[in-house]
Every structure is written in structure tokens, then in C-alpha cells.
Amino acid sequence: QVQLVESGGGLVQPGGSLRLSCAASLSIFGIRAMGWYRQAPGKERELVARITSGGSTNYADSVKGRFTISRDNAKKTVYLQMNSLKPEDTEVYYCNHGGLGSGGYWGQGTQVTVSS
């Protein structure tokens, strides 16, 4: 069975930090790209950060310089370090393995709330 388990979301003040984790029970972890997406009500799901099996990264312009994605293939885990958080970052964040096609998988999502 495929399972992606997300953790690390919660409430943080503006300017604060959070680290999201996504642990995958996948035997193919390490040969597929992993990513974090977020979605606001009424909007399409947005790519936040992506990391390939080779370690190349890609970020949305809105988070460049503030967020860092990384992966640990031995632990089958991908991380999203979020610094200098803004109220605009308040979204549900979803972990993805393998992209948007039929070969991709999604976590259940974790809520990030940035508020005073």
C-alpha cells in the first residue's frame, strides 16, 4: 500500500518558522521527484517546492529565499523548512510523490496557520 504521512503543521506567529515532514512508505522512494503543494479555497493547487531524485530544487517565486526543501532517501522522508512565515502562507500543504500524473501520490494535507 502507498502511504504518505505529513506532520509539522500548526500555528505560528508572523516571522516564525515551521518544518513540515512527509514520510513515505514507498519502495520506489528515491527515484521519483517529491514536492510540496498548497491550496487556498477556490484556487488551484499550487506548487510550493519540488526536489528531484538527484537533488535539484524548484521553488515558487513567493517562497524563494524563505523555504527550503530537502529529502532523506534512507528515511524515505521529504522536508520543507519554512522561515520568515507570512499570513499569506496560511494554507493546507500537501506532500506529493511522483508528480501530478497517474503515477503520483498525495498526502492528506497539513494545515499551516500564520497569525498573531
Side-chain angles (χ1 to χ4, degrees), residues 1 3-4 7 10 20 29 31-32 39 49 60 62-64 70 75 79 84-85 87 91 96-97 104 107 111-112 115:
Q1 295 293 123
Q3 185 177 14
L4 300 175
S7 62
L20 306 183
F29 190 99
I31 62 173
R32 295 286 187 269
Q39 186 170 21
S62 59
V63 307
K64 286 182 179 178
S70 61
K75 296 181 178 179
Y79 305 94
S84 301
L85 283 162
E91 304 285 356
N96 171 269
H97 176 273
Q111 177 70 53
V112 172
S115 176

Side-chain angles (χ1 to χ4, degrees), residues 32-34 50-57 71:
R32 295 286 187 269
M34 298 285 294
R50 182 176 179 269
I51 185 167
T52 69
S53 61
S56 298
T57 58
R71 66 191 293 164

Side-chain angles (χ1 to χ4, degrees), residues 21-116:
S21 299
C22 175
S25 58
L26 296 168
S27 61
I28 61 173
F29 190 99
I31 62 173
R32 295 286 187 269
M34 298 285 294
W36 288 96
Y37 292 71
R38 64 188 183 187
Q39 186 170 21
K43 296 184 179 180
E44 295 183 354
R45 192 164 295 183
E46 173 192 33
L47 175 66
V48 177
R50 182 176 179 269
I51 185 167
T52 69
S53 61
S56 298
T57 58
N58 185 45
Y59 297 92
D61 288 341
S62 59
V63 307
K64 286 182 179 178
R66 299 189 297 121
F67 292 9
T68 303
I69 189 171
S70 61
R71 66 191 293 164
D72 186 330
N73 290 343
K75 296 181 178 179
K76 297 183 178 180
T77 302
V78 63
Y79 305 94
L80 185 67
Q81 178 67 46
M82 304 184 293
N83 299 326
S84 301
L85 283 162
K86 305 175 181 179
E88 303 94 278
D89 298 318
T90 298
E91 304 285 356
V92 177
Y93 287 72
Y94 298 88
C95 179
N96 171 269
H97 176 273
L100 303 178
S102 60
Y105 301 92
W106 294 93
Q108 294 293 323
T110 185
Q111 177 70 53
V112 172
T113 302
V114 185
S115 176
S116 298

